[in-house]
Amino acid sequence: MSSPELDLDRLSDSERTALETYMAVTSQEPSEAIPLLQRSEWNVQIAISKFFDGEGPDPLAEARSAMDQAPPPQQNRRTQNLMNEDFTERLSQITRVTDPAPQISTQSGDQPVYRPPLIIALLFMPFNLVYRLLCTSFRLPALRGARQNTTGRRPLGPKDTAARFIREFEEEYEAHPIPFLENGYNMALEKAHRDLKFLLVVLLSPEHDDTSSWVRDTLLAPEVVEFINDPRNNLLVWGGNVRDSEAYQVANSLRVTKFPFAAVVVHTPNVSSTAMSVVGRIAGVNAPAEVVTKLQAAVTSNQEPLERIRSSRAEQRASRSLREEQDSAYERSLAIDRERARQRREAEAERQREEQEAAGRQAAEEQRRRDLAQWKLWRAQSVSAEPGPDAKDTVRVSVRLPSGERIMRKFAPDADLEELYAVVECWEALQDADAPRTSEPAGFVHQYPFRLVSPMPRVVYSLDDGGSIREKIGRGGNLLVEPIENEDEEDSEEDDATVVS
């Protein structure tokens, strides 16, 4: 085994080829790539797997590497060959079952490339030329460690690359019965994991002689197409051309050694909750029946765990839907309760407002009554005394009250008509000789709620007309008291009806 400080010149041709292949995939520097390759016995596939999945003890991979690289020992007995072949077959089956589906790192084709400033590029140009001469002379790998694009194909993003592959596939084979996913490999993995479906990865190499015949005779065979398109098989298909960077990385990550190649990838919950594993491989030229058999075996052997997860997800969705319905019903119930509470609050507020208005009206009415009583006492104090028997030219007036009581009183001829109204209004106070003296109530405006009317002929003696009692009534008369409150209400109703009409 070489030392980590081994010079590149001391590497053998096979080791240098392995180093170049490893650096093209991982973009590591030689100082980091050589120790990992040495720990992997210069097996590129194991080293790449350790780089992407993490380095750890992998006795199966080491054993397979030793068996793949070392020539098989010459056995003298047939039983030893059978044991060796049986162990190799079981080892490959175990590896295939536990082989994880890799995630790859892609770079969009339209991502800008960093270019150094012109001055720095001119300064380092001699060193660049010298290094290129050394690389050409001694076949050293490029420092960048990236795969050089020698196909002349323009690098594109994952989605555009998938669209280009589908377009070229349709143009080449004049048919498109296979529903290739029009997105990148990582997105295809994510969709297969999310939808709990199988992902069939198809990798084609146009340089391979059997690619065209395999696609026409095997991949596009009616039985294969029918199996792929059967919705019961839950198959998604992603295809790639290894001349593209993404498909090339997928091929290296899947350790493809023979084209054409197809792999079945599916979520394996027995490994982890997010694991995607390769559960079937189809390498090289195969008959359509053999391809269908391998696909059927991969689907059948891994269908039960997916069905359990689907059932679990269906139960979770049903439980979530039930919770949402319960939450919705609870929210509706809360909304109804809130609406009822709002209506109760509004009704209570309306009731309190009406009670306050009624109390206000009652208090105002009581205050009006007190002010009216006080005004009657005050006005009675200012009513002129009735003229005596010796007075001449007096006016004798008889007034009949609504209660049937009659007022008989004499007035001075020059007394104002309001004096007669005041006597009628304050008649009870005038009869009380012990009534206390008081002042006019502040802010109270008195209005007489009646009018004096002569019955025959009917004459209304209104205060608005003014004048003295002698001018209006003459030397005497019989009058009636007519309340005007009801008439005012009727007039108001008539006015309202007129406005509405």
Side-chain angles (χ1 to χ4, degrees):
M1 181 181 299
S2 302
S3 174
E5 294 78 19
L6 181 64
D7 190 11
L8 295 178
D9 297 334
R10 298 175 58 185
L11 296 178
S12 62
D13 292 338
S14 60
E15 291 175 345
R16 186 173 299 172
T17 302
L19 178 61
E20 292 178 356
T21 304
Y22 175 81
M23 292 175 61
V25 176
T26 62
S27 300
Q28 273 194 324
E29 297 295 332
S31 58
E32 299 175 351
I34 293 176
L36 183 58
L37 286 170
Q38 290 176 346
R39 292 193 298 273
S40 303
E41 300 296 330
W42 290 96
N43 187 288
V44 178
Q45 296 179 357
I46 295 178
I48 293 175
S49 177
K50 289 181 178 180
F51 175 78
F52 286 103
D53 300 335
E55 187 173 0
D58 191 1
L60 292 176
E62 297 290 348
R64 187 178 66 175
S65 172
M67 294 172 61
D68 291 340
Q69 290 189 350
Q74 299 293 332
Q75 301 290 342
N76 295 327
R77 299 178 57 186
R78 178 63 180 171
T79 57
Q80 291 181 352
N81 290 334
L82 293 176
M83 291 176 60
N84 187 27
E85 292 176 0
D86 181 65
F87 175 74
T88 304
E89 179 65 22
R90 285 185 295 170
L91 182 62
S92 62
Q93 291 178 359
I94 295 175
T95 305
R96 285 198 300 269
V97 171
T98 59
D99 201 9
Q103 290 274 355
I104 64 172
S105 176
T106 59
Q107 182 177 2
S108 176
D110 56 357
Q111 182 172 351
V113 180
Y114 172 74
R115 296 182 182 277
L118 180 60
I119 298 178
I120 298 179
L122 293 175
L123 290 176
F124 284 91
M125 183 179 296
F127 300 98
N128 192 16
L129 292 176
V130 172
Y131 183 78
R132 289 185 179 181
L133 290 175
L134 292 176
C135 289
T136 304
S137 302
F138 298 99
R139 299 176 60 188
L140 296 177
L143 286 176
R144 291 184 227 175
R147 180 194 177 198
Q148 296 181 356
N149 185 8
T150 59
T151 62
R153 294 169 65 85
R154 178 185 175 188
L156 300 174
K159 187 173 183 179
D160 295 332
T161 301
R164 180 170 62 185
F165 170 80
I166 296 174
R167 184 178 64 254
E168 292 175 349
F169 189 90
E170 293 175 345
E171 295 174 354
E172 176 71 20
Y173 302 104
E174 300 178 355
H176 191 210
I178 299 178
F180 288 104
L181 294 176
E182 195 171 344
N183 50 30
Y185 170 75
N186 291 335
M187 293 295 295
L189 277 181
E190 182 180 351
K191 180 175 177 60
H193 179 269
R194 182 180 64 251
D195 298 343
L196 293 178
K197 293 187 175 182
F198 295 87
L199 177 63
L200 177 62
V201 180
V202 179
L203 298 175
L204 302 179
S205 176
E207 290 80 5
H208 200 282
D209 297 335
D210 297 327
T211 297
S212 180
S213 60
W214 181 82
V215 172
R216 296 182 186 276
D217 301 336
T218 301
L219 184 61
L220 297 180
E223 55 267 39
V224 177
V225 173
E226 181 181 1
F227 183 87
I228 292 176
N229 293 327
D230 191 347
R232 294 173 298 179
N233 297 324
N234 296 313
L235 267 177
L236 301 175
V237 187
W238 182 88
N241 188 332
V242 294
R243 292 186 299 174
D244 296 323
S245 175
E246 183 180 32
Y248 179 79
Q249 294 183 54
V250 173
N252 282 306
S253 301
L254 293 177
R255 305 171 187 176
V256 179
T257 58
K258 190 175 183 181
F259 288 99
F261 176 83
V264 180
V265 181
V266 71
H267 173 48
T268 49
N270 55 340
V271 177
S272 70
S273 60
T274 59
M276 296 291 291
S277 303
V278 179
V279 296
R281 291 173 175 267
I282 303 173
V285 178
N286 295 269
E290 186 178 357
V291 171
V292 172
T293 301
K294 292 182 179 181
L295 292 177
Q296 184 66 53
V299 171
T300 304
S301 61
N302 293 274
Q303 193 70 264
E304 183 179 355
L306 296 184
E307 289 296 334
R308 289 198 301 267
I309 298 179
R310 291 192 187 99
S311 301
S312 177
R313 289 186 180 180
E315 293 177 359
Q316 293 176 0
R317 286 194 299 269
S319 177
R320 182 168 58 252
S321 177
L322 179 61
R323 287 196 303 269
E324 291 176 353
E325 292 179 358
Q326 293 175 347
D327 294 341
S328 178
Y330 179 70
E331 290 295 333
R332 290 195 299 269
S333 178
L334 283 182
I336 294 174
D337 293 341
R338 286 194 293 266
E339 179 64 19
R340 291 176 178 174
R342 184 188 65 80
Q343 294 177 355
R344 287 195 298 267
R345 288 195 302 269
E346 291 180 355
E348 180 66 18
E350 181 67 18
R351 184 186 64 81
Q352 293 179 359
R353 185 182 62 81
E354 292 178 354
E355 290 180 355
Q356 291 176 358
E357 291 179 355
R361 289 192 299 269
Q362 183 177 0
E365 180 64 22
E366 292 178 356
Q367 183 64 34
R368 189 192 68 81
R369 292 176 182 175
R370 288 194 297 269
D371 292 342
L372 179 59
Q374 183 180 351
W375 183 88
K376 288 181 179 181
L377 291 176
W378 169 79
R379 185 67 180 86
Q381 297 171 7
S382 59
V383 171
S384 300
E386 184 178 4
D390 299 334
K392 298 180 180 180
D393 297 330
T394 59
V395 179
R396 186 180 182 85
V397 179
S398 174
V399 181
R400 184 180 178 183
L401 301 178
S403 61
E405 185 180 358
R406 186 176 293 276
I407 299 175
M408 302 290 294
R409 198 176 192 280
K410 294 184 292 183
F411 294 89
D414 56 349
D416 191 82
L417 183 61
E418 193 273 338
E419 188 78 6
L420 176 58
Y421 272 83
V423 170
V424 175
E425 180 75 358
C426 305
W427 180 249
E428 293 181 358
L430 290 172
Q431 302 302 310
D432 188 2
D434 298 332
R437 299 188 65 84
T438 184
S439 61
E440 182 180 9
F444 178 75
V445 179
H446 178 266
Q447 292 181 352
Y448 291 100
F450 61 89
R451 55 173 168 252
L452 298 177
V453 180
S454 175
M456 294 184 65
R458 178 179 174 81
V459 178
V460 177
Y461 303 103
S462 175
L463 284 176
D464 297 336
D465 298 337
S468 63
I469 297 177
R470 171 63 64 86
E471 293 174 355
K472 295 296 182 181
I473 300 176
R475 296 185 63 85
N478 294 323
L479 305 179
L480 298 177
V481 176
E482 285 188 357
I484 61 175
E485 182 177 359
N486 294 335
E487 292 184 1
D488 292 343
E489 292 180 357
E490 292 177 0
D491 294 341
S492 177
E493 292 178 358
E494 291 179 358
D495 293 340
D496 294 340
T498 303
V499 172
V500 171
S501 62

